[in-house]
Amino acid sequence: PAGGTATLTLQAPITSRGDIEVTSESGAYTTNFTAPAGQELSNEGSLTVLLGDGGARTLSMELHNNGLVDLQTNTTLGMTGAAHQNSGTLLATAPLSLTGISFTNLDGGRVESSSTITHSSYGLTNDGTFAAGPGIGSMTLNGDLNFGATAIIEAQIGGTTPDTEYDRIITSGNVHLDGQIQLLAANGFEPQIGHAFTILNAGSTSGSFSGVTYDGVMPLGYGWDVLYTGLEVVVFVAQTIEDAGAGSK
């Protein structure tokens, strides 16, 4: 709005299969999209928070997303008691502050961010895919993160420099590890012996990933291994068992 704060309130649970846009035409005013407790928005279309000309954006609701949520400017999502669920794609290229009691990225869901997600009141649960992006970069989380057995941490590998040539997730919180590491080749880069990539920095870690997949080309006789330091997860190029045995003869 150009002349004041605007608020749109849902009065019943709504399933949206169309396109919803939230914007602002003045940095002096706030745009609110709200729903009373228990009146969640189920998004099966697209919900876009546009950059606009400034102004705070607040989505005061419990969100169940099975479509696309595209957050292009600073956004607060949540309300007292909100238990958010994502089985679609949530893309945050600007800071996102989560409130409520939980956020679960379900199996098949994708959370992708090149900015900061703050969720200090509860930990995030990931049973789907977490990735920095779009493009190569870093995702920053302010809070705990729990990877489930179906979880994927995805990282593009396009060189040896974090944040500019390969993806990284950074969190100040505690991270429980499970699921798979999925590496994607980028920029024509081919990892070589001695290359290592810190794909996760955390306040602390527990658990481990069950495996690593890679869609690119590796040197003959070499594959991927994972180092857990308690603060970092590092994937590195390692000699395979078969090749190591042959070489020791």
Side-chain angles (χ1 to χ4, degrees):
T5 295
T7 299
L8 172 65
T9 302
L10 305 178
Q11 295 299 334
I14 289 181
T15 297
S16 172
R17 298 183 177 92
D19 301 320
I20 299 173
E21 293 184 347
V22 180
T23 191
S24 174
E25 297 179 1
S26 172
Y29 301 106
T30 299
T31 301
N32 301 310
F33 186 20
T34 71
Q39 313 298 315
E40 73 278 351
L41 171 67
S42 295
N43 177 52
E44 297 182 3
S46 67
L47 169 59
T48 305
V49 179
L50 296 167
L51 181 61
D53 292 325
R57 316 297 162 78
T58 302
L59 307 178
S60 299
M61 62 182 62
E62 178 175 308
L63 176 66
H64 297 178
N65 178 49
N66 192 35
L68 171 65
V69 174
D70 183 3
L71 307 177
Q72 301 175 9
T73 192
N74 293 28
T75 302
T76 299
L77 168 63
M79 62 187 307
T80 300
H84 307 294
Q85 295 182 358
N86 179 61
S87 56
T89 297
L90 189 151
L91 175 62
T93 53
L96 168 63
S97 179
L98 293 168
T99 63
I101 60 173
S102 65
F103 180 99
T104 302
N105 187 43
L106 299 170
D107 187 8
R110 181 179 181 85
V111 174
E112 184 173 333
S113 177
S114 56
S115 190
T116 300
I117 299 176
T118 300
H119 51 104
S120 56
S121 61
Y122 55 85
L124 301 183
T125 297
N126 178 41
D127 294 319
T129 299
F130 260 52
I136 292 176
S138 61
M139 173 197 291
T140 300
L141 305 172
N142 290 331
D144 297 339
L145 176 61
N146 180 68
F147 285 91
T150 60
I152 295 171
I153 179 172
E154 181 184 286
Q156 298 176 84
I157 304 294
T160 58
T161 304
D163 308 335
T164 58
E165 293 183 324
Y166 73 84
D167 287 337
R168 181 169 57 144
I169 294 177
I170 304 166
T171 177
S172 57
N174 303 315
V175 181
H176 175 73
L177 307 173
D178 202 347
Q180 292 272 336
I181 298 171
Q182 182 172 291
L183 304 179
L184 305 178
N187 302 332
F189 177 74
E190 295 185 9
Q192 301 296 318
I193 300 162
H195 284 167
F197 309 88
T198 302
I199 61 169
L200 175 70
N201 292 86
S204 66
T205 66
S206 61
S208 62
F209 292 106
S210 60
V212 181
T213 64
Y214 180 58
D215 69 350
V217 177
M218 294 293 289
L220 182 63
Y222 286 79
W224 293 100
D225 207 344
V226 185
L227 172 66
Y228 303 95
T229 70
L231 298 174
E232 300 172 330
V233 175
V234 182
V235 292
F236 61 96
V237 179
Q239 194 173 30
T240 61
I241 295 175
E242 293 82 1
D243 194 70
S248 64
K249 294 179 179 178

